[in-house]
Amino acid sequence: MPAFNANTKDMQFVLHEVLKASEQNIPGYDEMDADFTGAVLEEAGKIASEVLHPLNEVGDREGCQLENGVVRTPTGFKDAFDQMRDGGWTALDCDPAYGGQGLPYLMHTAVGEIMSASNMAFNMYPGLTHGAYSAIHAHGSDAQKQTFLPKMVTCEWTGTMNLTEPHCGTDLGLMRTRAEPQDDGSYKITGQKIFISAGDHDMADNIIHLVLAKISGAPEGIKGVSLFIVPKVLVNDDGSLGARNDLSVGKIEEKMGIHGNSTCVMNYDGATGYLLGEAHKGMRAMFTMMNEARIGVGLQGYAQSEVAYQNARAYALDRLQGRDVTGTKHPELAADPLIVHPDIRRNLMDQKSFVEGARAFAFWGANLIDRAHRNSDAEADGLISLMTPVIKGFLTDKGYEMTINAQQVYGGHGYIEEWGMSQFARDARIAMIYEGANGVQALDLVGRKLAQDGGKHVMGFFEMVKTFCKENDSGEMAAFVEPLKKASKDLQAAGMYFMQAGMKNPNNALAGSYDFMHMMGHVCLGLMWARMARAAQDALANGAEDRDFYDAKLATARYYMARQLPATSMHLSRIETGADTLMALDAAHF
């Protein structure tokens, strides 16, 4: 069985030596000193390694079962969920007015990585609840907040998001689910939703579904969509649970991975629902949940690559195969361990440099969210809006790739289920699809986010990179700054191409959108690695005790700059070919 241990040392490095969290002028950050965050992360690591990760294989093997209309979760899940609730892990950054602990979103993100890496399918239950909580908190009436949020903060009640229907996924304007207004101000919701993660289970007293539907007579298309709170069990005026609502589970979807999460077909047969936010503006409210979910999914992508990498590294250090071509390293053994071979090292370095860069990127994104929300910082809000499709798309694409790389280290054993490596790949695969498939993320980035507010935010990002390079373009930092400058210039050149060629033919921009998303992802990780190199050099200059950690950080940074960041040149070359070769075939010729 694979093992997992939270990499709290690297998390602490990012929090305190790269982001310098406790020094930032953001409400709540003054309490985030190294002792406090270290204690929280260590405790999260314990429950992850001792409780959640041993259930990861159980959930994959058993899956969820639909029995007499009720979904039964895998053995041990309910007890583990009780432990999560009892420990307050579901309420870290939630509003204290509703029973939350009020910690920064950055802390929620760091703990979320640990939980997701240990058991992705399990962590989706509280994760979706957090998203539903956020939507109600942002758009609900005072009465709705008082009714639903306290129980959702504790996960006594869990939450879902219901968007997709059999005939529409990305194009939600095609939805058929209807909402009929009632005399008491409620609505009757009728329709079917599919792919509903955590749609039903036996770990909570109630499930609060957020359902997109069209009110009768609403405008056509996406402008006619509204969002409704539809509880599994109706809630009485005094807060107690009442009658079962008119909704049911049609079936549990058979999936490639995340078997421990109940992905349901949900049938609404005149179920009672309550309008959340304004009528016909449901997407505005739902995007509060979806944008948070997209960042959370990006986290899932690199979290799965983290646990896969940990096990591939251990295997490479232990497995004896062949001899080092430069000379036997362990003559007392029948063979040298895999780690001596250059191609195994390439594979592991690809994984290590991605995981650590992705962690810094995700934590920086969470820091931007805190700046935007806690300081009402419009610049941070615009920047995280720009970065959201990159965090979601790039980190899940590369995260899945790294789980495959980790599987490859094992050779044939990686393909055998008893070693557990295939589960990481199968679980990571969904992250590239849900909450907006990655092709849609690329279209959002190029089609909407680059031009947002007149291009202010992407220009601000370029200026941020330029400023960093200017301030650090000397001495040992030159080895990190020069590749970053080159990659940033490639990215800017791609943006200029879109402005020029895209004006003539929009397909020229859209044909290069996926390459641009990856290009921007590499520049973002390049910036993170340059920042981490700066922090490591400062630590060594100040007499850091753990020199091996900082030396390894610098070596990994050099690897990323030399072996990964040059991919921006390839992506630019592809982008500048335009749409002609891509659009050349008639549909009948595919």
Side-chain angles (χ1 to χ4, degrees):
M1 178 183 292
F4 170 73
N5 291 289
N7 193 349
T8 57
K9 184 174 182 62
D10 197 58
M11 291 180 174
Q12 288 283 80
F13 169 73
V14 175
L15 288 173
H16 300 291
E17 298 180 64
V18 180
L19 295 177
K20 300 185 185 299
S22 61
E23 300 175 24
Q24 294 194 31
N25 186 26
I26 301 174
Y29 272 50
D30 56 331
E31 299 178 3
M32 288 180 55
D33 59 45
D35 288 341
F36 174 75
T37 60
V40 173
L41 295 176
E42 288 297 331
E43 287 303 312
K46 286 180 183 177
I47 192 171
S49 61
E50 296 173 7
V51 178
L52 301 185
H53 190 64
L55 295 176
N56 197 42
E57 190 272 336
V58 175
D60 186 56
R61 184 181 66 249
E62 293 185 8
C64 296
Q65 306 297 324
L66 181 60
E67 299 176 359
N68 300 319
V70 177
V71 173
R72 305 296 180 191
T73 52
T75 302
F77 269 44
K78 192 173 189 306
D79 288 342
F81 205 62
D82 288 341
Q83 291 187 56
M84 287 277 287
R85 276 192 289 245
D86 293 344
W89 296 109
T90 65
L92 287 181
D93 69 321
C94 295
D95 190 341
Y98 304 103
Q101 298 175 37
L103 294 177
Y105 186 76
L106 176 56
M107 205 65 221
H108 167 81
T109 300
V111 170
E113 178 199 319
I114 294 173
M115 302 303 185
S116 186
S118 66
N119 193 326
M120 177 174 160
F122 177 92
N123 197 55
M124 289 171 66
Y125 293 99
L128 286 156
T129 305
H130 190 280
Y133 153 88
S134 295
I136 296 172
H137 190 273
H139 302 283
S141 66
D142 288 342
Q144 288 173 338
K145 293 178 187 178
Q146 291 296 336
T147 298
F148 298 106
L149 294 189
K151 298 287 189 181
M152 296 178 74
V153 165
T154 61
C155 272
E156 292 171 77
W157 300 351
T158 61
T160 72
M161 55 194 298
N162 285 234
L163 288 78
T164 308
E165 300 183 8
H167 58 282
C168 72
T170 301
D171 192 354
L172 292 170
L174 299 174
M175 73 175 53
R176 296 171 185 160
T177 300
R178 295 291 167 183
E180 296 288 344
Q182 304 298 298
D183 293 340
D184 63 358
S186 67
Y187 292 78
K188 292 296 183 184
I189 312 297
T190 301
Q192 185 180 78
K193 299 289 184 177
I194 63 171
F195 307 157
I196 308 307
S197 301
D200 193 74
H201 56 85
D202 55 1
M203 301 188 295
D205 297 331
N206 202 0
I207 300 175
I208 311 305
H209 300 285
L210 297 190
V211 183
L212 285 177
K214 289 185 175 181
I215 299 171
S216 298
E220 289 298 316
I222 201 68
K223 294 182 179 179
V225 172
S226 301
L227 184 61
F228 299 88
I229 299 172
V230 187
K232 174 182 175 179
V233 181
L234 296 173
V235 183
N236 297 322
D237 291 340
D238 64 358
S240 63
L241 295 179
R244 171 70 184 261
N245 209 348
D246 293 316
L247 58 91
S248 61
V249 178
K251 70 171 184 175
I252 299 176
E253 305 280 14
E254 293 286 340
K255 308 185 298 294
M256 175 180 174
I258 55 168
H259 297 151
N261 195 269
S262 54
T263 307
C264 300
V265 173
M266 299 298 302
N267 296 321
Y268 295 90
D269 302 304
T272 298
Y274 310 96
L275 183 67
L276 178 61
E278 299 180 52
H280 317 316
K281 294 183 179 178
M283 290 308 296
R284 178 187 300 175
M286 183 58 86
F287 264 109
T288 298
M289 186 174 186
M290 287 177 66
N291 283 332
E292 178 182 308
R294 285 172 177 172
I295 293 171
V297 170
L299 182 148
Q300 288 179 336
Y302 86 81
Q304 288 305 292
S305 62
E306 163 70 20
V307 64
Y309 165 68
Q310 287 188 18
N311 286 278
R313 177 188 62 203
Y315 188 82
L317 289 167
D318 181 68
R319 175 76 167 177
L320 303 180
Q321 290 287 287
R323 291 295 188 186
D324 188 329
V325 295
T326 63
T328 298
K329 290 294 184 290
H330 294 275
E332 77 282 5
L333 300 176
D336 288 331
L338 282 172
I339 196 72
V340 305
H341 302 301
D343 192 61
I344 293 292
R345 284 174 169 261
R346 171 201 57 79
N347 191 327
L348 292 173
M349 286 297 286
D350 280 353
Q351 296 173 57
K352 179 179 174 63
S353 63
F354 167 73
V355 168
E356 294 178 15
R359 175 178 294 118
F361 187 24
F363 283 20
W364 176 57
N367 177 227
L368 289 175
I369 290 174
D370 282 331
R371 279 174 48 193
H373 293 174
R374 292 178 175 239
N375 282 356
S376 300
D377 186 330
E379 180 183 343
D381 191 49
L383 191 52
I384 190 57
S385 178
L386 173 71
M387 292 299 164
T388 295
V390 185
I391 291 172
K392 196 281 183 183
F394 182 71
L395 295 192
T396 59
D397 273 355
K398 300 299 287 186
Y400 174 70
E401 179 185 330
M402 295 307 144
T403 64
I404 298 298
N405 283 4
Q407 192 179 29
Q408 188 75 11
V409 171
Y410 281 68
H413 290 300
Y415 199 65
I416 303 300
E417 289 294 338
E418 70 183 82
W419 287 84
M421 297 305 290
S422 77
Q423 184 186 351
F424 302 135
R426 288 185 286 104
D427 287 355
R429 184 63 183 89
I430 186 58
M432 301 162 70
I433 298 172
Y434 61 14
E435 307 307 337
N438 287 356
V440 175
Q441 302 301 320
L443 295 178
D444 177 48
L445 175 65
V446 171
R448 293 179 62 246
K449 298 299 175 61
L450 292 186
Q452 194 171 29
D453 296 329
K456 172 183 176 181
H457 308 302
V458 70
M459 294 307 295
F461 174 68
F462 289 144
E463 189 61 31
M464 178 190 304
V465 175
K466 182 179 178 181
T467 299
F468 177 88
C469 291
K470 277 186 176 180
E471 293 175 349
N472 294 277
D473 195 8
S474 62
E476 294 181 4
M477 279 301 294
F480 308 103
V481 165
E482 291 304 318
L484 178 58
K485 285 198 292 189
K486 169 64 170 63
S488 182
K489 288 178 182 177
D490 286 344
L491 187 63
Q492 292 175 65
M496 289 299 297
Y497 173 83
F498 289 155
M499 289 178 61
Q500 295 165 2
M503 293 291 288
K504 300 174 185 176
N505 179 1
N507 279 339
N508 284 327
L510 300 185
S513 61
Y514 213 95
D515 281 286
F516 189 86
M517 180 179 73
H518 272 250
M519 203 176 183
M520 194 163 183
H522 278 298
V523 172
C524 288
L525 260 65
L527 177 61
M528 295 302 111
W529 271 115
R531 287 177 171 175
M532 288 190 284
R534 173 80 275 172
Q537 287 181 357
D538 289 345
L540 289 169
N542 292 325
E545 293 183 4
D546 191 355
R547 296 188 65 86
D548 286 347
F549 174 84
Y550 296 107
D551 285 339
K553 188 65 69 174
L554 288 168
T556 309
R558 293 187 190 97
Y559 181 88
Y560 194 86
M561 297 300 182
R563 298 291 295 251
Q564 294 296 322
L565 200 52
T568 58
S569 295
M570 175 193 68
H571 290 300
L572 177 60
S573 295
R574 288 176 175 175
I575 287 168
E576 290 179 338
T577 64
D580 289 348
T581 57
L582 188 149
M583 305 299 291
L585 287 182
D586 291 334
H589 294 159
F590 275 89

